Amino acid sequence: MSTTAQKVRRELGDATVLVNCAGINVAARGLAHLSVEDFKKVLHVNLTGTFLTVHAFLPAMRDMGNGTIVNVI
């Protein structure tokens, strides 16, 4: 579990709601101007970040039998 997730649990208790809504958005430049490297970075940040936060908080939600996860991608 990440240190941020540990801090949240220590200071606030187990999460019952997780909303993932952060990431890189390069759509304003348009697909034709997006390099392969930029595309890979978008995928890495957006998908890996979502996975890691769910990975950190889902076990406690499962143990409690309660929780909601919303992923906005």
Side-chain angles (χ1 to χ4, degrees):
M1 178 183 300
S2 74
T3 55
T4 302
Q6 290 171 341
K7 182 177 180 180
V8 168
R9 289 184 77 184
R10 185 174 54 251
E11 294 180 9
L12 302 173
D14 288 324
T16 57
V17 176
L18 171 65
V19 178
N20 284 313
C21 168
I24 299 173
N25 181 355
V26 293
R29 293 191 319 214
L31 185 60
H33 302 289
L34 186 65
S35 71
V36 172
E37 287 307 311
D38 285 342
F39 178 73
K40 288 179 180 179
K41 185 174 181 180
V42 168
L43 285 179
H44 176 72
V45 170
N46 295 3
L47 297 179
T48 302
T50 298
F51 169 79
L52 291 174
T53 55
V54 171
H55 191 265
F57 291 100
L58 181 60
M61 290 180 178
R62 198 177 300 144
D63 290 345
M64 290 184 300
N66 182 29
T68 301
I69 298 174
V70 178
N71 294 315
V72 180
I73 298 178

